[in-house]
PDB file of all heavy atoms in Angstrom:
ATOM      1  N   ALA W  52       0.522 -10.407  13.081  1.00 98.00           N
ATOM      2  CA  ALA W  52       0.322  -8.982  12.825  1.00 98.00           C
ATOM      3  C   ALA W  52      -0.125  -8.808  11.383  1.00 98.00           C
ATOM      4  O   ALA W  52       0.330  -9.535  10.492  1.00 98.00           O
ATOM      5  CB  ALA W  52       1.608  -8.195  13.080  1.00 98.00           C
ATOM      6  N   VAL W  53      -1.005  -7.844  11.166  1.00 98.00           N
ATOM      7  CA  VAL W  53      -1.471  -7.522   9.812  1.00 98.00           C
ATOM      8  C   VAL W  53      -1.258  -6.027   9.601  1.00 98.00           C
ATOM      9  O   VAL W  53      -1.990  -5.193  10.154  1.00 98.00           O
ATOM     10  CB  VAL W  53      -2.955  -7.884   9.613  1.00 98.00           C
ATOM     11  CG1 VAL W  53      -3.393  -7.508   8.205  1.00 98.00           C
ATOM     12  CG2 VAL W  53      -3.188  -9.375   9.867  1.00 98.00           C
ATOM     13  N   LEU W  54      -0.234  -5.679   8.832  1.00 98.00           N
ATOM     14  CA  LEU W  54       0.081  -4.282   8.541  1.00 98.00           C
ATOM     15  C   LEU W  54      -0.553  -3.898   7.205  1.00 98.00           C
ATOM     16  O   LEU W  54      -0.226  -4.477   6.166  1.00 98.00           O
ATOM     17  CB  LEU W  54       1.595  -4.084   8.467  1.00 98.00           C
ATOM     18  CG  LEU W  54       2.424  -4.501   9.688  1.00 98.00           C
ATOM     19  CD1 LEU W  54       3.910  -4.250   9.430  1.00 98.00           C
ATOM     20  CD2 LEU W  54       1.968  -3.757  10.933  1.00 98.00           C
ATOM     21  N   ASP W  55      -1.456  -2.952   7.237  1.00 96.00           N
ATOM     22  CA  ASP W  55      -2.077  -2.428   6.027  1.00 96.00           C
ATOM     23  C   ASP W  55      -2.690  -1.081   6.375  1.00 96.00           C
ATOM     24  O   ASP W  55      -3.658  -1.012   7.132  1.00 96.00           O
ATOM     25  CB  ASP W  55      -3.155  -3.379   5.492  1.00 96.00           C
ATOM     26  CG  ASP W  55      -3.653  -2.972   4.107  1.00 96.00           C
ATOM     27  OD1 ASP W  55      -3.670  -1.758   3.823  1.00 96.00           O
ATOM     28  OD2 ASP W  55      -4.030  -3.853   3.314  1.00 96.00           O
ATOM     29  N   PRO W  56      -2.128   0.013   5.844  1.00 96.00           N
ATOM     30  CA  PRO W  56      -2.648   1.343   6.203  1.00 96.00           C
ATOM     31  C   PRO W  56      -4.082   1.579   5.745  1.00 96.00           C
ATOM     32  O   PRO W  56      -4.695   2.560   6.156  1.00 96.00           O
ATOM     33  CB  PRO W  56      -1.671   2.306   5.503  1.00 96.00           C
ATOM     34  CG  PRO W  56      -1.026   1.495   4.420  1.00 96.00           C
ATOM     35  CD  PRO W  56      -0.977   0.084   4.930  1.00 96.00           C
ATOM     36  N   LYS W  57      -4.610   0.685   4.911  1.00 94.00           N
ATOM     37  CA  LYS W  57      -6.004   0.820   4.475  1.00 94.00           C
ATOM     38  C   LYS W  57      -6.981   0.123   5.439  1.00 94.00           C
ATOM     39  O   LYS W  57      -8.194   0.165   5.205  1.00 94.00           O
ATOM     40  CB  LYS W  57      -6.171   0.274   3.056  1.00 94.00           C
ATOM     41  CG  LYS W  57      -5.502   1.125   1.981  1.00 94.00           C
ATOM     42  CD  LYS W  57      -5.824   0.607   0.582  1.00 94.00           C
ATOM     43  CE  LYS W  57      -5.260   1.537  -0.495  1.00 94.00           C
ATOM     44  NZ  LYS W  57      -3.819   1.549  -0.534  1.00 94.00           N
ATOM     45  N   ARG W  58      -6.470  -0.514   6.485  1.00 95.00           N
ATOM     46  CA  ARG W  58      -7.362  -1.073   7.501  1.00 95.00           C
ATOM     47  C   ARG W  58      -8.213   0.046   8.103  1.00 95.00           C
ATOM     48  O   ARG W  58      -7.704   1.122   8.430  1.00 95.00           O
ATOM     49  CB  ARG W  58      -6.561  -1.746   8.617  1.00 95.00           C
ATOM     50  CG  ARG W  58      -5.955  -3.086   8.257  1.00 95.00           C
ATOM     51  CD  ARG W  58      -5.192  -3.708   9.420  1.00 95.00           C
ATOM     52  NE  ARG W  58      -6.046  -3.950  10.598  1.00 95.00           N
ATOM     53  CZ  ARG W  58      -5.684  -4.715  11.619  1.00 95.00           C
ATOM     54  NH1 ARG W  58      -4.490  -5.318  11.602  1.00 95.00           N
ATOM     55  NH2 ARG W  58      -6.489  -4.879  12.638  1.00 95.00           N
ATOM     56  N   LEU W  59      -9.501  -0.213   8.279  1.00 95.00           N
ATOM     57  CA  LEU W  59     -10.394   0.795   8.827  1.00 95.00           C
ATOM     58  C   LEU W  59     -10.027   1.147  10.266  1.00 95.00           C
ATOM     59  O   LEU W  59     -10.297   2.270  10.726  1.00 95.00           O
ATOM     60  CB  LEU W  59     -11.848   0.313   8.758  1.00 95.00           C
ATOM     61  CG  LEU W  59     -12.417   0.108   7.344  1.00 95.00           C
ATOM     62  CD1 LEU W  59     -13.855  -0.391   7.418  1.00 95.00           C
ATOM     63  CD2 LEU W  59     -12.342   1.398   6.526  1.00 95.00           C
ATOM     64  N   ASP W  60      -9.408   0.205  10.982  1.00 96.00           N
ATOM     65  CA  ASP W  60      -9.026   0.458  12.368  1.00 96.00           C
ATOM     66  C   ASP W  60      -7.578   0.924  12.500  1.00 96.00           C
ATOM     67  O   ASP W  60      -7.006   0.922  13.595  1.00 96.00           O
ATOM     68  CB  ASP W  60      -9.250  -0.787  13.227  1.00 96.00           C
ATOM     69  CG  ASP W  60      -8.459  -1.998  12.724  1.00 96.00           C
ATOM     70  OD1 ASP W  60      -7.907  -1.934  11.615  1.00 96.00           O
ATOM     71  OD2 ASP W  60      -8.407  -3.024  13.443  1.00 96.00           O
ATOM     72  N   CYS W  61      -6.983   1.325  11.376  1.00 97.00           N
ATOM     73  CA  CYS W  61      -5.593   1.802  11.382  1.00 97.00           C
ATOM     74  C   CYS W  61      -5.579   3.326  11.287  1.00 97.00           C
ATOM     75  O   CYS W  61      -6.189   3.904  10.379  1.00 97.00           O
ATOM     76  CB  CYS W  61      -4.809   1.191  10.212  1.00 97.00           C
ATOM     77  SG  CYS W  61      -3.078   1.721  10.122  1.00 97.00           S
ATOM     78  N   ASN W  62      -4.889   3.977  12.206  1.00 95.00           N
ATOM     79  CA  ASN W  62      -4.834   5.439  12.241  1.00 95.00           C
ATOM     80  C   ASN W  62      -3.570   6.008  11.608  1.00 95.00           C
ATOM     81  O   ASN W  62      -3.230   7.175  11.833  1.00 95.00           O
ATOM     82  CB  ASN W  62      -4.940   5.921  13.691  1.00 95.00           C
ATOM     83  CG  ASN W  62      -6.288   5.594  14.303  1.00 95.00           C
ATOM     84  OD1 ASN W  62      -7.324   5.727  13.646  1.00 95.00           O
ATOM     85  ND2 ASN W  62      -6.283   5.139  15.554  1.00 95.00           N
ATOM     86  N   TYR W  63      -2.870   5.202  10.818  1.00 98.00           N
ATOM     87  CA  TYR W  63      -1.658   5.704  10.168  1.00 98.00           C
ATOM     88  C   TYR W  63      -2.035   6.891   9.278  1.00 98.00           C
ATOM     89  O   TYR W  63      -3.053   6.839   8.560  1.00 98.00           O
ATOM     90  CB  TYR W  63      -1.009   4.589   9.350  1.00 98.00           C
ATOM     91  CG  TYR W  63       0.407   4.892   8.944  1.00 98.00           C
ATOM     92  CD1 TYR W  63       1.434   4.849   9.878  1.00 98.00           C
ATOM     93  CD2 TYR W  63       0.719   5.235   7.636  1.00 98.00           C
ATOM     94  CE1 TYR W  63       2.738   5.144   9.523  1.00 98.00           C
ATOM     95  CE2 TYR W  63       2.019   5.528   7.267  1.00 98.00           C
ATOM     96  CZ  TYR W  63       3.028   5.487   8.213  1.00 98.00           C
ATOM     97  OH  TYR W  63       4.313   5.785   7.851  1.00 98.00           O
ATOM     98  N   PRO W  64      -1.249   7.966   9.272  1.00 96.00           N
ATOM     99  CA  PRO W  64      -1.662   9.213   8.607  1.00 96.00           C
ATOM    100  C   PRO W  64      -1.737   9.146   7.086  1.00 96.00           C
ATOM    101  O   PRO W  64      -2.297  10.046   6.467  1.00 96.00           O
ATOM    102  CB  PRO W  64      -0.579  10.212   9.042  1.00 96.00           C
ATOM    103  CG  PRO W  64       0.081   9.599  10.225  1.00 96.00           C
ATOM    104  CD  PRO W  64      -0.007   8.123  10.036  1.00 96.00           C
ATOM    105  N   PHE W  65      -1.162   8.114   6.463  1.00 96.00           N
ATOM    106  CA  PHE W  65      -1.089   8.061   4.994  1.00 96.00           C
ATOM    107  C   PHE W  65      -1.356   6.644   4.528  1.00 96.00           C
ATOM    108  O   PHE W  65      -0.672   5.715   4.956  1.00 96.00           O
ATOM    109  CB  PHE W  65       0.297   8.523   4.539  1.00 96.00           C
ATOM    110  CG  PHE W  65       0.496   8.517   3.045  1.00 96.00           C
ATOM    111  CD1 PHE W  65      -0.340   9.238   2.213  1.00 96.00           C
ATOM    112  CD2 PHE W  65       1.535   7.787   2.471  1.00 96.00           C
ATOM    113  CE1 PHE W  65      -0.155   9.243   0.836  1.00 96.00           C
ATOM    114  CE2 PHE W  65       1.736   7.788   1.105  1.00 96.00           C
ATOM    115  CZ  PHE W  65       0.881   8.517   0.282  1.00 96.00           C
ATOM    116  N   ASP W  66      -2.364   6.463   3.660  1.00 95.00           N
ATOM    117  CA  ASP W  66      -2.707   5.109   3.218  1.00 95.00           C
ATOM    118  C   ASP W  66      -2.279   4.827   1.784  1.00 95.00           C
ATOM    119  O   ASP W  66      -2.715   3.851   1.182  1.00 95.00           O
ATOM    120  CB  ASP W  66      -4.210   4.853   3.369  1.00 95.00           C
ATOM    121  CG  ASP W  66      -5.061   5.655   2.388  1.00 95.00           C
ATOM    122  OD1 ASP W  66      -4.495   6.484   1.642  1.00 95.00           O
ATOM    123  OD2 ASP W  66      -6.293   5.456   2.378  1.00 95.00           O
ATOM    124  N   GLY W  67      -1.392   5.666   1.234  1.00 95.00           N
ATOM    125  CA  GLY W  67      -0.978   5.498  -0.152  1.00 95.00           C
ATOM    126  C   GLY W  67       0.354   4.794  -0.343  1.00 95.00           C
ATOM    127  O   GLY W  67       0.932   4.833  -1.433  1.00 95.00           O
ATOM    128  N   LEU W  68       0.878   4.146   0.701  1.00 96.00           N
ATOM    129  CA  LEU W  68       2.161   3.448   0.583  1.00 96.00           C
ATOM    130  C   LEU W  68       2.077   2.299  -0.417  1.00 96.00           C
ATOM    131  O   LEU W  68       1.023   1.687  -0.594  1.00 96.00           O
ATOM    132  CB  LEU W  68       2.584   2.886   1.944  1.00 96.00           C
ATOM    133  CG  LEU W  68       2.972   3.893   3.034  1.00 96.00           C
ATOM    134  CD1 LEU W  68       3.087   3.194   4.377  1.00 96.00           C
ATOM    135  CD2 LEU W  68       4.272   4.599   2.681  1.00 96.00           C
ATOM    136  N   SER W  69       3.188   1.993  -1.055  1.00 96.00           N
ATOM    137  CA  SER W  69       3.288   0.786  -1.874  1.00 96.00           C
ATOM    138  C   SER W  69       3.474  -0.414  -0.950  1.00 96.00           C
ATOM    139  O   SER W  69       3.660  -0.268   0.264  1.00 96.00           O
ATOM    140  CB  SER W  69       4.482   0.891  -2.825  1.00 96.00           C
ATOM    141  OG  SER W  69       5.706   0.925  -2.084  1.00 96.00           O
ATOM    142  N   GLY W  70       3.431  -1.623  -1.519  1.00 95.00           N
ATOM    143  CA  GLY W  70       3.691  -2.817  -0.721  1.00 95.00           C
ATOM    144  C   GLY W  70       5.085  -2.789  -0.120  1.00 95.00           C
ATOM    145  O   GLY W  70       5.281  -3.103   1.063  1.00 95.00           O
ATOM    146  N   ALA W  71       6.066  -2.394  -0.927  1.00 97.00           N
ATOM    147  CA  ALA W  71       7.434  -2.278  -0.414  1.00 97.00           C
ATOM    148  C   ALA W  71       7.530  -1.153   0.613  1.00 97.00           C
ATOM    149  O   ALA W  71       8.344  -1.208   1.538  1.00 97.00           O
ATOM    150  CB  ALA W  71       8.416  -2.041  -1.557  1.00 97.00           C
ATOM    151  N   GLY W  72       6.681  -0.117   0.452  1.00 98.00           N
ATOM    152  CA  GLY W  72       6.655   0.976   1.417  1.00 98.00           C
ATOM    153  C   GLY W  72       6.191   0.502   2.786  1.00 98.00           C
ATOM    154  O   GLY W  72       6.758   0.888   3.815  1.00 98.00           O
ATOM    155  N   VAL W  73       5.171  -0.359   2.814  1.00 98.00           N
ATOM    156  CA  VAL W  73       4.708  -0.928   4.082  1.00 98.00           C
ATOM    157  C   VAL W  73       5.825  -1.793   4.679  1.00 98.00           C
ATOM    158  O   VAL W  73       6.090  -1.744   5.888  1.00 98.00           O
ATOM    159  CB  VAL W  73       3.425  -1.762   3.884  1.00 98.00           C
ATOM    160  CG1 VAL W  73       3.017  -2.449   5.191  1.00 98.00           C
ATOM    161  CG2 VAL W  73       2.282  -0.875   3.375  1.00 98.00           C
ATOM    162  N   GLY W  74       6.481  -2.570   3.832  1.00 98.00           N
ATOM    163  CA  GLY W  74       7.615  -3.374   4.299  1.00 98.00           C
ATOM    164  C   GLY W  74       8.721  -2.512   4.876  1.00 98.00           C
ATOM    165  O   GLY W  74       9.320  -2.857   5.904  1.00 98.00           O
ATOM    166  N   PHE W  75       8.981  -1.380   4.232  1.00 98.00           N
ATOM    167  CA  PHE W  75      10.008  -0.457   4.723  1.00 98.00           C
ATOM    168  C   PHE W  75       9.658   0.057   6.115  1.00 98.00           C
ATOM    169  O   PHE W  75      10.530   0.201   6.978  1.00 98.00           O
ATOM    170  CB  PHE W  75      10.158   0.720   3.753  1.00 98.00           C
ATOM    171  CG  PHE W  75      11.124   1.773   4.212  1.00 98.00           C
ATOM    172  CD1 PHE W  75      12.487   1.582   4.107  1.00 98.00           C
ATOM    173  CD2 PHE W  75      10.659   2.961   4.752  1.00 98.00           C
ATOM    174  CE1 PHE W  75      13.381   2.551   4.538  1.00 98.00           C
ATOM    175  CE2 PHE W  75      11.543   3.943   5.188  1.00 98.00           C
ATOM    176  CZ  PHE W  75      12.905   3.739   5.077  1.00 98.00           C
ATOM    177  N   LYS W  76       8.368   0.330   6.345  1.00 98.00           N
ATOM    178  CA  LYS W  76       7.961   0.796   7.673  1.00 98.00           C
ATOM    179  C   LYS W  76       8.218  -0.281   8.731  1.00 98.00           C
ATOM    180  O   LYS W  76       8.621   0.037   9.851  1.00 98.00           O
ATOM    181  CB  LYS W  76       6.476   1.188   7.676  1.00 98.00           C
ATOM    182  CG  LYS W  76       6.081   2.270   6.681  1.00 98.00           C
ATOM    183  CD  LYS W  76       6.940   3.510   6.759  1.00 98.00           C
ATOM    184  CE  LYS W  76       6.811   4.273   8.048  1.00 98.00           C
ATOM    185  NZ  LYS W  76       7.509   5.584   8.013  1.00 98.00           N
ATOM    186  N   LEU W  77       8.018  -1.563   8.372  1.00 98.00           N
ATOM    187  CA  LEU W  77       8.319  -2.636   9.318  1.00 98.00           C
ATOM    188  C   LEU W  77       9.819  -2.721   9.576  1.00 98.00           C
ATOM    189  O   LEU W  77      10.249  -2.960  10.711  1.00 98.00           O
ATOM    190  CB  LEU W  77       7.794  -3.976   8.799  1.00 98.00           C
ATOM    191  CG  LEU W  77       8.116  -5.211   9.656  1.00 98.00           C
ATOM    192  CD1 LEU W  77       7.726  -5.007  11.113  1.00 98.00           C
ATOM    193  CD2 LEU W  77       7.463  -6.455   9.076  1.00 98.00           C
ATOM    194  N   VAL W  78      10.622  -2.517   8.558  1.00 98.00           N
ATOM    195  CA  VAL W  78      12.071  -2.504   8.748  1.00 98.00           C
ATOM    196  C   VAL W  78      12.457  -1.337   9.668  1.00 98.00           C
ATOM    197  O   VAL W  78      13.315  -1.485  10.555  1.00 98.00           O
ATOM    198  CB  VAL W  78      12.794  -2.402   7.394  1.00 98.00           C
ATOM    199  CG1 VAL W  78      14.291  -2.119   7.594  1.00 98.00           C
ATOM    200  CG2 VAL W  78      12.617  -3.696   6.601  1.00 98.00           C
ATOM    201  N   GLN W  79      11.816  -0.184   9.472  1.00 98.00           N
ATOM    202  CA  GLN W  79      12.072   0.941  10.381  1.00 98.00           C
ATOM    203  C   GLN W  79      11.729   0.578  11.823  1.00 98.00           C
ATOM    204  O   GLN W  79      12.516   0.822  12.752  1.00 98.00           O
ATOM    205  CB  GLN W  79      11.224   2.151   9.963  1.00 98.00           C
ATOM    206  CG  GLN W  79      11.765   2.961   8.808  1.00 98.00           C
ATOM    207  CD  GLN W  79      10.975   4.244   8.635  1.00 98.00           C
ATOM    208  OE1 GLN W  79       9.743   4.235   8.639  1.00 98.00           O
ATOM    209  NE2 GLN W  79      11.665   5.361   8.503  1.00 98.00           N
ATOM    210  N   GLY W  80      10.539  -0.007  12.011  1.00 98.00           N
ATOM    211  CA  GLY W  80      10.099  -0.364  13.353  1.00 98.00           C
ATOM    212  C   GLY W  80      11.000  -1.400  14.003  1.00 98.00           C
ATOM    213  O   GLY W  80      11.344  -1.301  15.193  1.00 98.00           O
ATOM    214  N   THR W  81      11.396  -2.392  13.207  1.00 98.00           N
ATOM    215  CA  THR W  81      12.262  -3.454  13.727  1.00 98.00           C
ATOM    216  C   THR W  81      13.632  -2.905  14.102  1.00 98.00           C
ATOM    217  O   THR W  81      14.218  -3.289  15.123  1.00 98.00           O
ATOM    218  CB  THR W  81      12.399  -4.575  12.680  1.00 98.00           C
ATOM    219  OG1 THR W  81      11.101  -5.051  12.325  1.00 98.00           O
ATOM    220  CG2 THR W  81      13.231  -5.729  13.208  1.00 98.00           C
ATOM    221  N   THR W  82      14.149  -2.009  13.282  1.00 98.00           N
ATOM    222  CA  THR W  82      15.443  -1.376  13.570  1.00 98.00           C
ATOM    223  C   THR W  82      15.401  -0.652  14.908  1.00 98.00           C
ATOM    224  O   THR W  82      16.346  -0.733  15.718  1.00 98.00           O
ATOM    225  CB  THR W  82      15.805  -0.391  12.435  1.00 98.00           C
ATOM    226  OG1 THR W  82      15.936  -1.110  11.203  1.00 98.00           O
ATOM    227  CG2 THR W  82      17.107   0.324  12.736  1.00 98.00           C
ATOM    228  N   GLN W  83      14.293   0.051  15.150  1.00 97.00           N
ATOM    229  CA  GLN W  83      14.155   0.754  16.434  1.00 97.00           C
ATOM    230  C   GLN W  83      14.082  -0.234  17.591  1.00 97.00           C
ATOM    231  O   GLN W  83      14.691  -0.008  18.644  1.00 97.00           O
ATOM    232  CB  GLN W  83      12.906   1.634  16.404  1.00 97.00           C
ATOM    233  CG  GLN W  83      13.013   2.825  15.454  1.00 97.00           C
ATOM    234  CD  GLN W  83      11.803   3.732  15.526  1.00 97.00           C
ATOM    235  OE1 GLN W  83      11.220   3.930  16.583  1.00 97.00           O
ATOM    236  NE2 GLN W  83      11.420   4.299  14.388  1.00 97.00           N
ATOM    237  N   LYS W  84      13.356  -1.332  17.415  1.00 98.00           N
ATOM    238  CA  LYS W  84      13.233  -2.330  18.483  1.00 98.00           C
ATOM    239  C   LYS W  84      14.582  -2.963  18.819  1.00 98.00           C
ATOM    240  O   LYS W  84      14.846  -3.341  19.958  1.00 98.00           O
ATOM    241  CB  LYS W  84      12.241  -3.424  18.083  1.00 98.00           C
ATOM    242  CG  LYS W  84      10.786  -3.004  18.145  1.00 98.00           C
ATOM    243  CD  LYS W  84      10.356  -2.733  19.575  1.00 98.00           C
ATOM    244  CE  LYS W  84       8.914  -2.319  19.685  1.00 98.00           C
ATOM    245  NZ  LYS W  84       8.537  -1.938  21.066  1.00 98.00           N
ATOM    246  N   LEU W  85      15.434  -3.082  17.802  1.00 98.00           N
ATOM    247  CA  LEU W  85      16.747  -3.680  17.999  1.00 98.00           C
ATOM    248  C   LEU W  85      17.771  -2.679  18.534  1.00 98.00           C
ATOM    249  O   LEU W  85      18.923  -3.044  18.810  1.00 98.00           O
ATOM    250  CB  LEU W  85      17.253  -4.285  16.688  1.00 98.00           C
ATOM    251  CG  LEU W  85      16.481  -5.502  16.163  1.00 98.00           C
ATOM    252  CD1 LEU W  85      16.928  -5.845  14.748  1.00 98.00           C
ATOM    253  CD2 LEU W  85      16.657  -6.701  17.090  1.00 98.00           C
ATOM    254  N   GLY W  86      17.361  -1.398  18.641  1.00 97.00           N
ATOM    255  CA  GLY W  86      18.267  -0.378  19.147  1.00 97.00           C
ATOM    256  C   GLY W  86      19.353   0.007  18.169  1.00 97.00           C
ATOM    257  O   GLY W  86      20.420   0.493  18.570  1.00 97.00           O
ATOM    258  N   LEU W  87      19.099  -0.179  16.890  1.00 97.00           N
ATOM    259  CA  LEU W  87      20.083   0.142  15.854  1.00 97.00           C
ATOM    260  C   LEU W  87      19.887   1.564  15.350  1.00 97.00           C
ATOM    261  O   LEU W  87      18.833   2.179  15.575  1.00 97.00           O
ATOM    262  CB  LEU W  87      19.947  -0.853  14.703  1.00 97.00           C
ATOM    263  CG  LEU W  87      20.233  -2.315  15.079  1.00 97.00           C
ATOM    264  CD1 LEU W  87      19.872  -3.239  13.921  1.00 97.00           C
ATOM    265  CD2 LEU W  87      21.688  -2.492  15.480  1.00 97.00           C
ATOM    266  N   PRO W  88      20.864   2.131  14.652  1.00 96.00           N
ATOM    267  CA  PRO W  88      20.746   3.505  14.148  1.00 96.00           C
ATOM    268  C   PRO W  88      19.500   3.672  13.267  1.00 96.00           C
ATOM    269  O   PRO W  88      19.209   2.828  12.420  1.00 96.00           O
ATOM    270  CB  PRO W  88      22.033   3.704  13.335  1.00 96.00           C
ATOM    271  CG  PRO W  88      23.008   2.743  13.933  1.00 96.00           C
ATOM    272  CD  PRO W  88      22.195   1.552  14.356  1.00 96.00           C
ATOM    273  N   LYS W  89      18.782   4.770  13.468  1.00 92.00           N
ATOM    274  CA  LYS W  89      17.538   4.993  12.738  1.00 92.00           C
ATOM    275  C   LYS W  89      17.740   5.124  11.240  1.00 92.00           C
ATOM    276  O   LYS W  89      16.817   4.883  10.454  1.00 92.00           O
ATOM    277  CB  LYS W  89      16.839   6.247  13.276  1.00 92.00           C
ATOM    278  CG  LYS W  89      16.107   6.026  14.584  1.00 92.00           C
ATOM    279  CD  LYS W  89      15.232   7.227  14.918  1.00 92.00           C
ATOM    280  CE  LYS W  89      14.398   6.951  16.167  1.00 92.00           C
ATOM    281  NZ  LYS W  89      13.497   8.094  16.478  1.00 92.00           N
ATOM    282  N   GLN W  90      18.930   5.524  10.819  1.00 93.00           N
ATOM    283  CA  GLN W  90      19.177   5.707   9.389  1.00 93.00           C
ATOM    284  C   GLN W  90      19.474   4.401   8.665  1.00 93.00           C
ATOM    285  O   GLN W  90      19.561   4.369   7.435  1.00 93.00           O
ATOM    286  CB  GLN W  90      20.311   6.709   9.146  1.00 93.00           C
ATOM    287  CG  GLN W  90      21.694   6.234   9.614  1.00 93.00           C
ATOM    288  CD  GLN W  90      21.980   6.633  11.048  1.00 93.00           C
ATOM    289  OE1 GLN W  90      21.060   6.868  11.832  1.00 93.00           O
ATOM    290  NE2 GLN W  90      23.268   6.736  11.390  1.00 93.00           N
ATOM    291  N   LEU W  91      19.618   3.298   9.383  1.00 96.00           N
ATOM    292  CA  LEU W  91      19.970   2.019   8.767  1.00 96.00           C
ATOM    293  C   LEU W  91      19.019   1.613   7.631  1.00 96.00           C
ATOM    294  O   LEU W  91      19.475   1.174   6.571  1.00 96.00           O
ATOM    295  CB  LEU W  91      20.035   0.919   9.834  1.00 96.00           C
ATOM    296  CG  LEU W  91      20.513  -0.472   9.397  1.00 96.00           C
ATOM    297  CD1 LEU W  91      21.267  -1.149  10.535  1.00 96.00           C
ATOM    298  CD2 LEU W  91      19.363  -1.365   8.952  1.00 96.00           C
ATOM    299  N   PRO W  92      17.694   1.748   7.783  1.00 97.00           N
ATOM    300  CA  PRO W  92      16.793   1.327   6.704  1.00 97.00           C
ATOM    301  C   PRO W  92      16.908   2.153   5.426  1.00 97.00           C
ATOM    302  O   PRO W  92      16.427   1.723   4.366  1.00 97.00           O
ATOM    303  CB  PRO W  92      15.392   1.499   7.324  1.00 97.00           C
ATOM    304  CG  PRO W  92      15.609   1.480   8.800  1.00 97.00           C
ATOM    305  CD  PRO W  92      16.940   2.127   8.998  1.00 97.00           C
TER     306      PRO W  92
END
């Protein structure tokens, strides 16, 4: 997987995230996949 909101084929609404911000979004996504509380990240 290649996560980068600046990808031309990426429709994410905001491309100004920091590197840690992109990482945080993956932690959010992973938390949801694991069925854990959404506030954990």
Side-chain angles (χ1 to χ4, degrees):
V53 179
L54 304 179
D55 190 328
K57 290 186 175 67
R58 285 181 60 166
L59 295 179
D60 59 349
C61 180
N62 295 319
Y63 195 73
F65 180 57
D66 69 355
L68 292 169
S69 65
V73 175
F75 176 77
K76 302 308 294 188
L77 176 51
V78 169
Q79 280 189 313
T81 304
T82 298
Q83 291 184 36
K84 285 294 180 185
L85 293 170
L87 297 172
K89 282 191 175 182
Q90 67 270 23
L91 185 147

